[in-house]
Amino acid sequence: MSYAWLEEKGPMIVYIADPMCSWCYGFAPEITKVKEALPDHGFEIVLGGLRPGGSETMADLGEFLEKHWKDMSERTGQPINYDIIEDKAFVLDTEPACRAVVTARKLDPKMALSFFKETQSAFYVANDDMCSEETFVSIATKLGMDGVAFKMHFNSEEIKYETQNDFQLAAEMGIQGFPSVVIRHKGQFYLASNGYRNAEELLAVIAQIRKD
């Protein structure tokens, strides 16, 4: 796999997540604050793949997910539309959403985080179909991307392969949960967070890493 930023030496925030992961959704305002607080750092999203190719439905997982979503929402204040729980046929396959973010990252790297967060809202607030390419084309056009180009890339073998590469990279980095944040400092990578942390806590951890 080829990720040029892995070979670079400057300070960087590497955010490993899945747009359909509930705690990643809760973490969205926090990672945004961290990114904005560290303008001297590069920023990359790696798609971890929560349930890529999953076949379980809300009938299988709804009760389990509802509890976790409520815990997350109460802690973070992020809004959730629970109507999706009642759609018992809804399939929890996170590969298309991850692939959509990879597509956006390919077309406009600076828009990757914005696209990621819009995808989260599409699922958790709008309850959109996360297996439909039209959901992601709509997000792309909303953010000013070329919808035709997005659709072409989204369905390409290149992007499907790159998405799988992201999953592999996350595994090779030893990431065992989402959201996770890795900091590159002086050419070395440090795990700053494995799981939810508010921005203030995470910035304190990063500051400590930067002291070393």
Side-chain angles (χ1 to χ4, degrees):
M1 68 186 72
S2 177
Y3 293 94
W5 56 265
L6 284 171
E7 306 303 322
E8 296 170 3
K9 301 299 181 185
M12 177 169 285
I13 303 163
V14 184
Y15 178 39
I16 306 99
D18 186 299
M20 292 176 69
C21 152
S22 59
W23 282 102
C24 298
Y25 174 54
F27 188 57
E30 309 307 317
I31 191 61
T32 302
K33 292 174 187 174
V34 169
K35 181 176 183 289
E36 292 173 349
L38 298 172
D40 60 325
H41 282 57
F43 186 87
E44 289 287 342
I45 293 179
V46 172
L47 284 303
L50 181 65
R51 293 178 182 273
S55 60
E56 293 173 295
T57 66
M58 283 298 181
D60 304 312
L61 297 169
E63 186 175 343
F64 167 81
L65 291 175
E66 185 173 10
K67 178 183 183 302
H68 282 273
W69 291 1
K70 286 181 176 178
D71 289 345
M72 180 279 295
S73 185
E74 288 172 4
R75 181 172 176 184
T76 69
Q78 286 283 72
I80 287 187
N81 179 354
Y82 292 96
D83 289 350
I84 192 68
I85 298 287
E86 301 307 315
D87 183 357
K88 303 303 182 183
F90 188 100
V91 177
L92 270 296
D93 176 6
T94 72
E95 190 276 343
C98 289
R99 178 158 37 105
V101 178
V102 171
T103 305
R105 186 182 70 194
K106 187 79 169 182
L107 293 175
D108 188 349
K110 293 181 179 179
M111 294 300 294
L113 182 58
S114 295
F115 190 96
F116 187 95
K117 293 193 293 183
E118 288 288 343
T119 303
Q120 291 176 312
S121 294
F123 179 45
Y124 283 103
V125 179
N127 287 174
D128 289 336
D129 183 354
M130 303 308 283
C131 289
S132 169
E133 65 183 20
E134 295 307 320
T135 294
F136 308 118
V137 170
S138 177
I139 295 170
T141 55
K142 177 181 177 180
L143 293 175
M145 296 180 184
D146 183 327
V148 174
F150 183 94
K151 188 171 183 177
M152 180 184 71
H153 282 277
F154 177 76
N155 288 302
S156 71
E157 291 304 313
E158 177 190 3
I159 292 298
K160 291 176 183 178
Y161 180 74
E162 191 168 330
T163 304
Q164 295 300 318
N165 278 351
D166 266 40
F167 299 159
Q168 183 180 341
L169 176 59
E172 290 175 356
M173 293 174 76
I175 301 303
Q176 297 182 341
F178 312 124
S180 286
V181 176
V182 169
I183 298 298
R184 183 175 63 209
H185 175 61
K186 294 183 179 179
Q188 300 295 315
F189 289 91
Y190 300 85
L191 182 64
S193 180
N194 179 217
Y196 177 86
R197 251 185 177 145
N198 66 38
E200 183 178 345
E201 293 170 338
L202 185 49
L203 285 168
V205 171
I206 296 171
Q208 188 61 46
I209 290 170
R210 293 177 72 172
K211 285 182 180 179
D212 296 337

